[in-house]
Amino acid sequence: FHRAVRQVGHHALLRADPGHETLTEHRLVQAVLRERLSAEDQAEMVRLVWKLLIVANPGRPDDPNSWGMLSNINRHLRPSGIIQADDRAARSVVLDQIRFLFNGGDQRSSRELAEEAVSSWRKSPGASDEQTLIACRFLGIVRRELGLVEEARLIDEDTLERARAVFGEQHEHTLVTANSDACDLR
């Protein structure tokens, strides 16, 4: 295996990074392989990548010990199209990435990812879906952190109204969203 990787690497078709234990194909090789696959096979490969990202996700975006793996996952979010996946576990990966970016101090990337997720998820699975509401709450928090207080207030008010209708007044999501809304008003 190592000999084969070295030989392919000599032709610049593959780059090995032993420190991170990764292999990266040249984009031209990726394009040729992708073109040879049927539409069905391409869709299956995309689903396989989503499954790999789901399994690799440590699920603890607030724990700095998870940030190395979350950083690795982050590089594959947009190329894999996982943001548009119609799968709860895949959406959990995206939610964890929004939190990871925020916790790591990259509020702009966190906001961009949250905005993309909210835009996509409001269409499907819908504006009142639990994960959509969580993404909306995260978006409100990061907008407020970036000084976009009026934008934060607007999304938090809408999210709070939906959370009350979906979960009720005493549900954890409703209470946390109410707290976020109060921060906007303060």
Side-chain angles (χ1 to χ4, degrees):
F1 174 77
H2 295 289
R3 186 173 47 241
V5 169
R6 275 194 308 276
Q7 287 175 345
V8 173
H10 286 313
H11 299 290
L13 300 175
L14 189 71
R15 188 177 74 237
D17 183 351
H20 291 101
E21 297 181 338
T22 60
L23 294 173
T24 306
E25 279 181 319
H26 190 281
R27 291 180 187 189
L28 181 59
V29 175
Q30 291 177 14
V32 168
L33 292 174
R34 197 173 13 253
E35 190 171 306
R36 289 185 175 188
L37 293 174
S38 68
E40 291 171 352
D41 289 340
Q42 285 182 19
E44 182 58 32
M45 288 296 135
V46 168
R47 285 190 295 275
L48 179 61
V49 169
W50 293 349
K51 286 179 185 178
L52 290 171
L53 293 174
I54 290 166
V55 170
N57 186 39
R60 297 180 313 278
D62 299 321
D63 179 2
N65 294 321
S66 300
W67 291 359
M69 180 57 77
L70 289 165
S71 178
N72 287 334
I73 291 170
N74 187 268
R75 292 187 287 237
H76 301 285
L77 280 188
R78 285 186 174 82
S80 72
I82 197 169
I83 297 165
Q84 287 78 32
D86 189 21
D87 180 279
R88 290 191 61 75
R91 288 192 298 274
S92 289
V93 171
V94 176
L95 290 172
D96 286 349
Q97 285 294 313
I98 294 167
R99 290 286 303 164
F100 158 67
L101 291 166
F102 182 85
N103 289 333
D106 190 354
Q107 282 80 18
R108 292 198 195 306
S109 295
S110 178
R111 185 190 83 203
E112 290 169 6
L113 182 57
E115 286 174 346
E116 193 175 338
V118 167
S119 175
S120 177
W121 299 352
R122 280 184 170 169
K123 297 172 192 153
S124 176
S128 295
D129 174 75
E130 178 183 18
Q131 289 177 311
T132 305
L133 292 173
I134 293 170
C136 288
R137 180 167 44 93
F138 289 170
L139 179 56
I141 292 168
V142 74
R143 282 180 174 172
R144 183 175 55 252
E145 185 71 19
L146 288 169
L148 305 170
V149 180
E150 184 61 22
E151 290 179 28
R153 186 185 64 77
L154 291 173
I155 196 163
D156 282 340
E157 284 180 355
D158 178 68
T159 305
L160 179 57
E161 183 179 319
R162 289 178 189 280
R164 285 178 173 149
V166 172
F167 304 117
E169 290 288 334
Q170 299 302 314
H171 191 276
E172 174 187 4
H173 291 320
T174 305
L175 295 173
V176 174
T177 304
N179 184 61
S180 190
D181 187 47
C183 290
D184 297 337
L185 295 172
R186 185 185 64 228

